[in-house]
Amino acid sequence: MNTKKIAIDVVLVPPDNIVQFAIDINKTFPETSAENYILHAKTCIPHITLLMGLITKEQIPEVGRKLGALAEKFSALKLTITHAKSSARPDGKVLSGLEIEKTPELQKLHETILEEMSSIFAYDGVEKKMFYTPPPVNEVPMFWVQGFAKTSVRENYKPHITLGVGESKQEIVPVQFTASKLALCHLGNYCTCRDVLWAASLS
């Protein structure tokens, strides 16, 4: 029985054009390479977090089954990038992201997954070894995962696509897109999605 926990994220993966849009902005950040925060369509995937937490590796099939059942009940979501936002992370450096309009459908998907996973996901005892490496992991993702259930769910849920360490110089105009891919990912440094453990399409 493998009881070693890993840090995971249930996410919506945007369509290819939005993934590339985020990657292109990330490339303009001077600290991208130094921070090991290089967005990539397969190895550091731009995404919209729905729920973070800790599970054991043996729980991946169970979580996948539950998410698969939910994927059949939810239609692809029509979403809108409204603007770019920057904020200071715990160590003072600036992180930027694309803010997503919180539609009733997106909020319902978030809360439904939260309820389905309430008996499975854990948040205590987060350690660096639970994250995907390389690149090496700092304190930031441990801080985010441990506090997620207290700070980022239900009315505090704030959908976004993180762009990386830096500030976007280009003006962001509202962009509409349809998100249909639901995925379970192993988290790496900065809570990046490094490895897709399970994926399915919303109906």
Side-chain angles (χ1 to χ4, degrees):
M1 183 175 179
N2 187 349
T3 57
K4 291 181 180 178
K5 288 186 170 65
I6 58 172
I8 53 86
D9 199 355
V10 181
V11 306
L12 284 171
V13 179
D16 292 347
N17 63 316
I18 300 299
V19 167
Q20 191 59 52
F21 181 54
I23 289 171
D24 289 344
I25 296 175
N26 172 263
K27 287 178 180 177
T28 69
F29 294 165
E31 292 192 86
T32 291
S33 295
E35 293 286 339
N36 285 310
Y37 201 140
I38 303 172
L39 289 180
H40 186 277
K42 296 190 182 302
T43 60
C44 189
I45 307 165
H47 63 277
I48 303 165
T49 290
L50 292 164
L51 184 65
M52 288 183 195
L54 304 176
I55 63 172
T56 64
K57 289 183 178 180
E58 70 172 6
Q59 288 175 316
I60 294 172
E62 179 186 3
V63 173
R65 284 193 298 272
K66 285 180 175 288
L67 291 175
L70 290 179
E72 294 179 358
K73 297 177 182 178
F74 281 83
S75 300
L77 300 179
K78 295 187 183 299
L79 301 174
T80 303
I81 294 169
T82 57
H83 62 286
K85 184 178 180 180
S86 299
S87 59
R89 67 186 195 191
D91 65 1
K93 291 195 175 184
V94 173
L95 272 174
S96 292
L98 300 171
E99 297 291 292
I100 306 293
E101 180 183 1
K102 188 163 65 172
T103 64
E105 294 79 11
L106 179 56
Q107 182 70 22
K108 184 178 180 182
L109 178 59
H110 158 68
E111 292 191 11
T112 302
I113 292 172
L114 177 65
E115 293 301 322
E116 282 289 318
M117 301 303 164
S118 62
S119 63
I120 303 174
F121 282 27
Y123 295 91
D124 294 329
V126 183
E127 299 178 42
K128 289 183 180 182
K129 65 183 180 181
M130 297 173 178
F131 293 83
Y132 184 95
T133 55
V137 175
N138 57 29
E139 306 296 322
V140 175
M142 297 166 58
F143 175 84
W144 284 338
V145 171
Q146 190 155 324
F148 190 86
K150 296 178 181 177
T151 63
S152 303
V153 299
R154 295 188 174 90
E155 67 273 9
N156 295 321
Y157 175 56
K158 295 180 176 63
H160 62 278
I161 300 170
T162 304
L163 295 170
V165 182
E167 292 192 65
S168 176
K169 303 298 183 187
Q170 69 183 86
E171 182 182 358
I172 305 297
V173 297
V175 179
Q176 293 183 327
F177 64 95
T178 299
S180 61
K181 183 177 179 180
L182 185 66
L184 177 69
C185 298
H186 191 182
L187 290 173
N189 202 26
Y190 296 122
C191 289
T192 48
C193 283
R194 295 287 179 173
D195 185 30
V196 178
L197 306 173
W198 173 95
S201 296
L202 300 177
S203 65

